[in-house]
Amino acid sequence: MKYIEPHGHMVSRTTDDYQKMAMAGCEAICEPAFWAGYDRASVQGFYDYFRQLTEYEPARAAKFGIPHFCWLCINPKESEDAGFAREVLSLIPEFIDNPTVLGIGEIGLNKNTKNELAIFEEHVEIAKKYDQPILIHTPHLEDKLKGTKLIIDALKNAQVDSSRVVIDHVEEHTAGLVLDNGFWAGMTLYPESKCTPARAVDILENFGMENIWMNSACDWGVSDPLAVVKTALEMGKRKYDKDTVERVIYDNPKSFLENCPNFKI
C-alpha cells in the first residue's frame, strides 16, 4: 500500500524507522516543529532546530527514497514565556522560503493559558502574512475540548480560511466540532494514549472519511512510526475496500497538503 505520514517527529527517530516506513509504502513524511522533550534554553537552540528540520532531516529521509517536509513554529509548551517566544517567531521568516517548508505548525495550546493563546494568535498572523497553511496542536485530556473551542474562536476572529487549517489530535468529543466548522481534522495514533487503530476506525465510522487524516505523531515517547499502516490493516479487517483505505491514508492528506505550494510527490 502507499500512504503519507502527515505528522511525524523524525528528529527523535532512528534510521531504522525510515527504512521500515519506506518498506511499508510511505510516499512522504511531514514533520511539524515541536517540543524537544525539554524546554530549550536559547533562541539559538531553535535556530539550530530549524536548520535540522530544513537541512538534515530531508537529506536523511532521501537516503530511503522518502521526501521529507516540515512546518515551523515555537510549540505551545514553550510559549508561556512570551518574550522568548517572540524572539523565536522572529526567526521564522528566514526559513519560510525553504523548499521543504509547508507552513506554520504545530501551533496551538497546551494548558490554555493567556500567554499561549497570545503566541498562537501571533503565529496565525505570520501564516496570514506569508500566505501559509496552518497545522494545530490541541491540548490533552480534560483540556482538549476547552482548548479546541478557544482555538476555533481565535481562527474565526482572525478570518482564516478554514480549508487551509488542520486541527490535529481530535478525539470523539472534538472531531465533530472541528469538521462542522470547516476545518480539516487529524487523528493521532498512539499505542497507549490517544487513538488505537480500532478507536480511530470507530471515529471514521462515526464522523465520515472526508477532510480527515491519520498520523502517528511518532516522537521520543511511546509511539509507533507504522501506526498509519496498522490502522489501514484494521480497516481491511472491517472489510473496507482498497480504494476507501487509500483515500484515508493517502488521498486525504495529499489533498490537504496540496494547499502547500512546496508539497510535491
Side-chain angles (χ1 to χ4, degrees), residues 185-223:
M187 282 193 295
T188 298
L189 311 166
Y190 275 1
E192 295 184 354
S193 63
K194 297 189 174 71
C195 294
T196 61
R199 184 180 170 196
V201 181
D202 287 345
I203 291 174
L204 289 173
E205 291 175 346
N206 282 314
F207 295 96
M209 300 184 188
E210 300 298 324
N211 294 353
I212 194 164
W213 77 29
M214 300 187 294
N215 60 77
S216 73
C218 54
D219 56 18
W220 40 88
V222 179
S223 52

Side-chain angles (χ1 to χ4, degrees), residues 19-90:
Q19 184 178 49
K20 292 172 184 175
M21 294 169 78
M23 293 172 66
C26 186
E27 297 277 321
I29 296 171
C30 306
E31 179 159 2
F34 195 51
W35 194 49
Y38 59 90
D39 291 344
R40 278 159 280 219
S42 69
V43 175
Q44 185 63 44
F46 271 92
Y47 184 87
D48 292 340
Y49 177 52
F50 291 164
R51 286 191 60 207
Q52 184 179 17
L53 290 176
T54 57
E55 297 175 21
Y56 180 68
E57 284 306 318
R60 193 160 71 114
K63 293 177 182 178
F64 301 91
I66 306 176
H68 176 284
F69 303 91
C70 70
W71 302 76
L72 301 175
C73 73
I74 179 171
N75 71 87
K77 281 179 174 284
E78 292 172 278
S79 293
E80 191 58 35
D81 183 340
F84 177 77
R86 290 182 178 112
E87 289 186 69
V88 176
L89 291 181
S90 71

Side-chain angles (χ1 to χ4, degrees), residues 34-35 76-77 106 109-112 137-148 168-169 171 173 188 190 193-194 217 219:
F34 195 51
W35 194 49
K77 281 179 174 284
E106 60 183 295
L109 300 174
N110 179 44
K111 295 183 178 178
N112 298 332
H137 167 95
T138 51
H140 304 292
L141 303 174
E142 67 275 4
D143 290 329
K144 184 175 291 292
L145 181 59
K146 178 182 178 182
T148 302
D168 217 335
H169 314 318
E171 296 177 0
H173 60 309
T188 298
Y190 275 1
S193 63
K194 297 189 174 71
D219 56 18

